[in-house]
């Protein structure tokens, strides 16, 4: 693998995002790329975003379903970076013309009160650093045509993360059984989609702990105030212009996504 290849793929992703026009699978054109190569590309794409004034607000975790991991031939989740310009409020209109093939997921987001910058962070230490949690809708979108992706494609493309939508409510994590938190996704004329926190590596906290340790090892620890999206609680739902989706997080909040 060469830096020239990394640069070429990064520019290909940036152009696809800028033009909101899909490209062919990166993995097909660069079959020798592995996960580390894909993360190298992701870093280049995100570096350009930072150079243009982007500000990191947190991270998203993907591939938290063991079934999807087996399908893609991996044994761990992946992650992408959240930027301030990606955030939307519940009820805001999502402009589908700026996206390629968007889908939405219901997730639990955790906000941290201190930097997680210690070696061999324990699960208990991580729990103590969670300031609050909140329901979040992540809008994922792939630059690869028809979502024909493998692990290299999604990692290089910032774990297929496009936008994230939040409400106004925050919750105390003390005593919460995150495995039992549930979401129901309702679309006009469609059957509801349901899921629970148990879909995220058995518990959203498991996925978040994995990410915290991973990022420390990479020298980019989770920082105070960062938001971590812990993974999909239910299957993805496609977004089409004119749709309205309701994400009902039982006993927590309801987020509304309007697509234009």
């Amino acid at each position: 693998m060469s830096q020239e290849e990394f640069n070429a793929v990064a520019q290909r992703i940036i152009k696809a995002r800028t033009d909101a026009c899909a490209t062919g699978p990166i993995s097909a054109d660069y079959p020798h790329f592995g996960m580390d190569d894909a993360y190298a590309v992701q870093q280049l794409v995100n570096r350009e975003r930072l150079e243009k004034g982007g500000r990191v607000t947190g991270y998203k975790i993907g591939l938290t379903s063991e079934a999807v991991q087996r399908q893609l031939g991996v044994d761990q989740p992946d992650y992408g970076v959240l930027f301030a310009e990606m955030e939307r409020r519940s009820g805001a209109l999502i402009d589908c013309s700026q996206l390629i093939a968007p889908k939405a997921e219901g997730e639990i987001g955790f906000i941290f009160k201190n930097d997680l910058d210690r070696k061999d962070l324990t699960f208990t230490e991580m729990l103590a650093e969670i300031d609050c949690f909140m329901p979040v809708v992540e809008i994922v979108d792939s630059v690869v045509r028809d979502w024909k992706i493998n692990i290299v494609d999604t990692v290089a493309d910032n774990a297929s993360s496009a936008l994230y939508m939040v409400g106004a409510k925050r919750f105390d994590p003390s005593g919460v059984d995150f495995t039992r938190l549930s979401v129901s996704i309702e679309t006009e004329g469609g059957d509801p989609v349901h899921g629970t926190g148990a879909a995220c590596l058995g518990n959203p906290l498991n996925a978040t702990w994995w990410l915290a340790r991973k990022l420390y090892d990479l020298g980019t620890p989770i920082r105070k105030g960062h938001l971590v999206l812990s993974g999909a609680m239910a299957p993805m739902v496609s977004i089409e212009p004119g749709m309205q989706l309701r994400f009902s997080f039982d006993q927590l909040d309801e987020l509304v996504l309007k697509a234009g």
Side-chain angles (χ1 to χ4, degrees), residues 12-24:
R12 176 170 162 178
I13 291 171
I14 291 167
K15 178 173 174 52
R17 285 275 170 228
T18 301
D19 298 343
C21 185
T23 185

Side-chain angles (χ1 to χ4, degrees), residues 29-237:
D29 294 335
Y30 298 85
H32 51 292
F33 272 21
M35 189 178 288
D36 289 344
D37 304 308
Y39 276 119
V41 172
Q42 182 191 122
Q43 289 174 357
L44 289 173
V45 174
N46 289 337
R47 181 185 304 168
E48 178 159 317
R49 200 163 186 167
L50 289 168
E51 290 172 350
K52 291 182 176 180
R55 183 170 59 84
V56 174
T57 53
Y59 298 89
K60 63 82 49 101
I61 309 170
L63 305 183
T64 52
S65 161
E66 292 183 358
V68 174
Q69 289 182 16
R70 288 194 298 270
Q71 179 184 347
L72 295 182
V74 297
D75 60 0
Q76 62 179 307
D78 68 352
Y79 71 89
V81 181
L82 303 180
F83 290 86
E85 66 266 24
M86 295 167 64
E87 184 173 296
R88 300 291 185 272
R89 296 289 304 278
S90 176
L93 187 68
I94 301 301
D95 184 358
C96 290
S97 70
Q98 300 300 307
L99 302 168
I100 299 169
K103 301 175 185 287
E105 301 175 337
E107 310 192 17
I108 295 298
F110 296 102
I111 298 175
F112 291 87
K113 53 191 173 186
N114 290 298
D115 296 351
L116 301 186
D117 59 350
R118 66 195 75 168
K119 182 177 176 58
D120 298 326
L121 180 78
T122 68
F123 187 77
T124 303
E125 288 172 329
M126 183 200 70
L127 288 179
E129 297 297 354
I130 297 174
D131 184 33
C132 60
F133 75 95
M134 59 192 298
V136 182
V137 173
E138 183 185 6
I139 299 163
V140 292
D141 188 32
S142 179
V143 298
V144 174
R145 191 171 295 109
D146 300 323
W147 279 89
K148 296 186 181 301
I149 61 173
N150 72 9
I151 186 64
V152 166
D153 299 297
T154 186
V155 168
D157 187 24
N158 199 31
S160 304
S161 192
L163 304 169
Y164 64 95
M165 176 175 287
V166 300
K169 295 181 179 180
R170 307 290 184 271
F171 299 90
D172 184 342
S174 301
V176 175
D177 182 353
F178 288 97
T179 68
R180 302 186 69 177
L181 296 184
S182 64
V183 65
S184 176
I185 308 170
E186 298 179 2
T187 61
E188 298 168 347
D191 294 330
V193 175
H194 306 283
T196 69
C200 308
L201 292 186
N203 188 322
L205 293 170
N206 293 339
T208 305
W209 185 41
W210 169 85
L211 180 70
R213 291 166 66 96
K214 176 79 169 179
L215 291 177
Y216 176 85
D217 289 343
L218 293 172
T220 55
I222 295 168
R223 296 298 184 186
K224 176 181 179 180
H226 272 176
L227 171 67
V228 172
L229 308 187
S230 57
M233 300 167 67
M236 297 186 296
V237 177

